[in-house]
Amino acid sequence: MTPTAAERNRPRWRSEDPLLGWVGALCLTALAFFLRRWHLGTPHQFSFDETYYAKDAWSLLQHGYVRGYVEDADKTILNGDLTGLFQDGPSMIVHPEVGKWLIAAGIEVFGMDPEGWRTASAVVGALMVLLMCRFVRRVSGSTAIGLVAGLLLAVDGLQLVLSRLALLDIFLAFFVLCGVHCVVADRQWLRDRLSREGGQGRWLACWRPWLLAGGLAFGLACGTKWSGAYPLAAFGLLAWLWSAGARRAFGQRRPLLRSVVLDGVPAFVALVGVALATYVASWTGWLVHAEVYEEAFSNTQYTSYGGDDPWPSASEPDADGLSEVTQSLRSLWSYHQDVYTFHSHFLDDSSHVYASKPSTWLVMGRPVGVDAQTDIQPGSQGCEAPSGSSCLRQVLLIGNPVVWWGGCLTMVASLLLWIGARDWRHGVAVVGLASTWLPWFLYDDRPIFFFYAITSLPFLVLSTALVAGHLVGTSDVPTPRRTFGVVVAGSFTVLALVAFVWFWPIWTDVLLTKSEWDARIWFQRWI
């Protein structure tokens, strides 16, 4: 019997046991959360840029906006004294506030200490593993491949360490992955609806629930860091091209023109419009206190780079009769101009010992040390190094070499399979990597860091999982090809697990002798 169009268009993952998929994914998520929660308060200090984001989050909780801090505030907080920390004026923040509000949620529950300000990262990092399992299951059509992808993400060091620090990048990566997942789900939803309606679906574009959810996710990504705008643009374009392809596949006349009118405009509203509304809403705390910022920053050092117009006042309507809300929005726009000037000019001449070029990120050319306690003498802190040697502790922002280097190789295969075989699944991996990595080449004249590549990691993992699926094949019949694929994919996964165990100490501040540390630092640039 010939299958119907709806049956041919039905994603294969829907035919697999959903209970097995969810149970496996939740078990991996629980394991990931345990590993990220383990000794979360160690080291007991502000590590790297935690000094900015944790205190900003605390200020948001206390005042609704970010205020400046007194000198030696870090030491005072670590000593458990939370009084007299704030200055009278606001702080010139240079990143949006979504991630800091999430950090604040952890502080509200667990307190203003290292464990408290890192809790949100641990939760989101574990949820990202769950999302990875479900995302790759949807793209690949296989529960097993989805679980392998989730495992590879769970055992990556960069994802692990960022899940144990109060930095913004783990939240950015999570929301970007959410947004991409929604766009892929919309592709499948649209094709399913078209097949049900005999290939017509003239007004389907008026209601695309997955695109609306994607707009919300991308808005939260941009509300964490502005770099979320690049994958939003890339996958918005890809969603439109997929819509045109779907209409062509179902035999519609002039599919490209139809997709422009029926899909392009509504998709833009659903993705970009909702993302913009979400982004602006994320600044509500700032907007409510806009007059405080105006008073402090109407003539900032950054406006000298090109901000000619003074900030408008939000406290009173202007001569044109604009409302206070409109004035606050204009003030927020002026603030964004200042922040953009800071990022594009003020940082150009600065440097950092751990800064690196984007060209080195995928091969982990220059990791970032966020904490190091060196020269611990034998007999101190449990150090059992031989006489004449010493011990040390370190937290190093570096990935799992098996995951990253293997992902670089499989991404080449994904590019070829996308272009040569027109496999849309590999296109997701390629576009995801391109939109989260290549834009940083525009800013390589300023200090940027390897851990920014955390948003690219899910797409390297997706590529690896898809290539593993190609090697194994879809047939259950034992063949030499299938045996070879199982051996290669299985060996790669085992190697990733072995590397995870090997590098665990330098990701989690474990005490090592100098020789044990040297065995894990494979290259001079890793120091």
Side-chain angles (χ1 to χ4, degrees):
M1 181 178 178
T2 304
T4 64
E7 292 170 338
R8 292 194 304 270
N9 199 56
R10 184 180 179 85
R12 187 163 63 89
W13 57 265
R14 290 188 182 177
S15 302
E16 298 197 355
D17 185 1
L19 179 61
L20 177 63
W22 275 109
V23 169
L26 289 172
C27 287
L28 273 178
T29 303
L31 174 62
F33 181 68
F34 171 78
L35 295 173
R36 283 145 184 78
R37 190 69 176 76
W38 184 83
H39 289 185
L40 188 60
T42 303
H44 186 78
Q45 64 181 46
F46 289 92
S47 296
F48 204 65
D49 283 353
E50 282 187 336
T51 186
Y52 304 115
Y53 305 131
K55 290 185 295 186
D56 286 356
W58 177 244
S59 182
L60 287 173
L61 277 177
Q62 299 299 306
H63 304 288
Y65 67 97
V66 178
R67 292 176 64 170
Y69 280 79
V70 299
E71 189 176 354
D72 292 330
D74 287 15
K75 184 185 299 184
T76 303
I77 293 171
L78 292 172
N79 288 335
D81 184 4
L82 301 179
T83 61
L85 296 175
F86 300 107
Q87 295 178 347
D88 293 334
S91 173
M92 181 70 179
I93 58 173
V94 294
H95 287 299
E97 299 188 336
V98 169
K100 286 172 278 190
W101 276 113
L102 291 173
I103 294 171
I107 294 174
E108 177 70 13
V109 176
F110 294 97
M112 182 58 180
D113 57 29
E115 182 177 348
W117 63 64
R118 294 169 187 160
T119 293
S121 296
V123 172
V124 170
L127 289 176
M128 190 174 170
V129 173
L130 174 63
L131 178 61
M132 192 75 205
C133 293
R134 306 303 299 175
F135 170 62
V136 176
R137 182 178 187 267
R138 181 180 291 277
V139 174
S140 67
S142 168
T143 296
I145 293 176
L147 294 178
V148 168
L151 178 62
L152 292 178
L153 186 69
V155 300
D156 178 69
L158 183 62
Q159 208 274 354
L160 172 75
V161 178
L162 286 175
S163 299
R164 294 170 55 86
L165 293 173
L167 304 184
L168 302 180
D169 302 83
I170 193 67
F171 306 117
L172 171 65
F174 176 77
F175 288 129
V176 167
L177 185 56
C178 278
V180 175
H181 189 177
C182 290
V183 172
V184 171
D186 172 77
R187 179 189 188 277
Q188 296 171 340
W189 179 90
L190 178 64
R191 286 174 174 262
D192 187 50
R193 289 293 300 271
L194 283 172
S195 66
R196 291 180 186 178
E197 300 186 14
Q200 297 305 309
R202 182 174 301 173
W203 303 111
L204 282 179
C206 296
W207 173 241
R208 302 272 286 272
W210 280 110
L211 283 188
L212 293 172
L216 175 63
F218 278 121
L220 293 172
C222 296
T224 302
K225 277 191 168 183
W226 287 353
S227 52
Y230 293 110
L232 166 60
F235 280 94
L237 179 61
L238 197 59
W240 168 60
L241 293 175
W242 282 341
S243 299
R247 293 185 182 279
R248 182 174 60 251
F250 282 95
Q252 291 191 9
R253 298 177 58 189
R254 297 187 295 275
L256 187 62
L257 179 60
R258 283 174 175 265
S259 67
V260 170
V261 177
L262 299 178
D263 301 317
V265 174
F268 180 86
V269 173
L271 273 176
V272 179
V274 172
L276 179 60
T278 302
Y279 177 80
V280 173
S282 73
W283 285 93
T284 298
W286 193 100
L287 291 168
V288 171
H289 301 92
E291 69 280 357
V292 178
Y293 284 91
E294 292 161 8
E295 183 178 351
F297 297 122
S298 290
N299 295 294
T300 71
Q301 58 181 316
Y302 310 117
T303 55
S304 62
Y305 288 99
D308 298 326
D309 297 329
W311 281 28
S313 172
S315 58
E316 298 179 358
D318 65 6
D320 297 327
L322 294 177
S323 68
E324 184 174 332
V325 173
T326 304
Q327 288 284 29
S328 294
L329 290 172
R330 286 184 57 190
S331 179
L332 182 63
W333 173 252
S334 297
Y335 186 85
H336 275 62
Q337 290 177 307
D338 271 5
V339 172
Y340 177 79
T341 301
F342 170 82
H343 283 296
S344 59
H345 296 283
F346 188 70
L347 292 175
D348 284 353
D349 298 327
S350 58
S351 60
H352 196 285
V353 65
Y354 288 119
S356 59
K357 299 292 186 181
S359 56
T360 69
W361 289 356
L362 301 188
V363 294
M364 303 189 305
R366 182 59 171 160
V368 177
V370 298
D371 174 67
Q373 186 181 357
T374 61
D375 199 26
I376 301 172
Q377 294 302 308
S380 175
Q381 301 185 31
C383 176
E384 298 179 355
S387 178
S389 185
S390 62
C391 296
L392 73 162
R393 298 177 185 273
Q394 184 176 34
V395 177
L396 189 65
L397 269 167
I398 187 172
N400 185 320
V402 176
V403 173
W404 284 82
W405 296 344
C408 290
L409 294 176
T410 60
M411 189 58 73
V412 175
S414 286
L415 180 61
L416 295 176
L417 287 167
W418 183 35
I419 296 174
R422 300 198 178 197
D423 190 330
W424 71 271
R425 302 171 302 168
H426 290 277
V428 175
V430 173
V431 172
L433 176 66
S435 62
T436 55
W437 175 49
L438 295 181
W440 287 108
F441 284 83
L442 301 173
Y443 308 102
D444 64 356
D445 57 345
R446 47 163 286 193
I448 51 180
F449 305 94
F450 162 63
F451 64 85
Y452 294 176
I454 185 61
T455 52
S456 301
L457 175 60
F459 304 106
L460 290 175
V461 171
L462 171 62
S463 172
T464 301
L466 290 175
V467 171
H470 278 291
L471 290 175
V472 173
T474 57
S475 174
D476 294 330
V477 178
T479 63
R481 175 186 178 276
R482 181 175 176 80
T483 301
F484 173 78
V486 170
V487 170
V488 171
S491 299
F492 181 88
T493 304
V494 170
L495 282 175
L497 288 169
V498 171
F500 177 77
V501 175
W502 180 248
F503 287 100
W504 170 266
I506 64 172
W507 292 330
T508 56
D509 206 46
V510 173
L511 184 69
L512 292 172
T513 65
K514 182 63 165 57
S515 60
E516 290 171 336
W517 180 81
D518 286 336
R520 289 162 173 81
I521 304 301
W522 292 350
F523 303 100
Q524 182 68 25
R525 285 186 58 83
W526 285 13
I527 298 176

